[in-house]
Amino acid sequence: QVQLVESGGGLVQPGGSLTLSCVVTGSVNSVLDIGWYRQAPGEQREMVASATRGGRTNYADPVTGRFTISRDNEKKTVWLQMNNLKPEDTAVYYCNADVIRFTPQYDRKIWWGQGTQVTVSS
């Protein structure tokens, strides 16, 4: 079984910073694309940032210039550094990973974490 274990959420004032982390655990052969999505109350889940195994990154327009995604392939870990946070960044943040396993057959599937709450408020 694969698990995505997120941490780092919390309450922060506008203009503050938080760093989220996500570790992929279990019998994993390789993690391909990995990234972060978020869902605010009453809204659809949206992509925030993603990183390919080779390090290419992609960001949603609202977070470009404020958020930075990074990953460590050996540790199967991804981080999201969030700076200059705004109230509109308040949401549950979910880690998402494209994972290859040999169980023993080849298996490729998208996995999701349980989510971590980020609240930006004064």
Side-chain angles (χ1 to χ4, degrees):
Q1 187 71 353
V2 175
Q3 283 191 312
L4 275 58
V5 182
E6 300 138 331
S7 61
L11 173 64
V12 64
Q13 292 187 342
S17 298
L18 280 176
T19 300
L20 307 181
S21 64
C22 171
V23 182
V24 182
T25 65
S27 299
V28 174
N29 176 266
S30 181
V31 178
L32 303 179
D33 290 3
I34 191 168
W36 294 90
Y37 284 66
R38 68 186 181 186
Q39 187 168 19
E43 302 288 334
Q44 288 191 336
R45 192 172 296 189
E46 62 178 4
M47 192 279 290
V48 176
S50 65
T52 67
R53 185 170 177 81
R56 184 178 301 175
T57 58
N58 184 42
Y59 296 93
D61 287 344
V63 308
T64 298
R66 299 188 296 123
F67 291 10
T68 302
I69 189 170
S70 59
R71 64 182 289 174
D72 184 318
N73 291 335
E74 284 196 17
K75 295 180 179 178
K76 298 183 181 66
T77 301
V78 64
W79 296 271
L80 185 67
Q81 173 68 44
M82 305 184 292
N83 296 327
N84 189 22
L85 283 160
K86 304 176 180 181
E88 52 263 41
D89 295 317
T90 295
V92 177
Y93 284 68
Y94 297 90
C95 183
N96 164 286
D98 187 355
V99 173
I100 292 176
R101 299 187 297 162
F102 293 97
T103 61
Q105 291 85 7
Y106 174 89
D107 175 75
R108 179 178 175 180
K109 181 181 172 182
I110 302 293
W111 296 82
W112 290 89
Q114 296 281 9
T116 183
Q117 177 70 45
V118 171
T119 302
V120 185
S121 175
S122 55

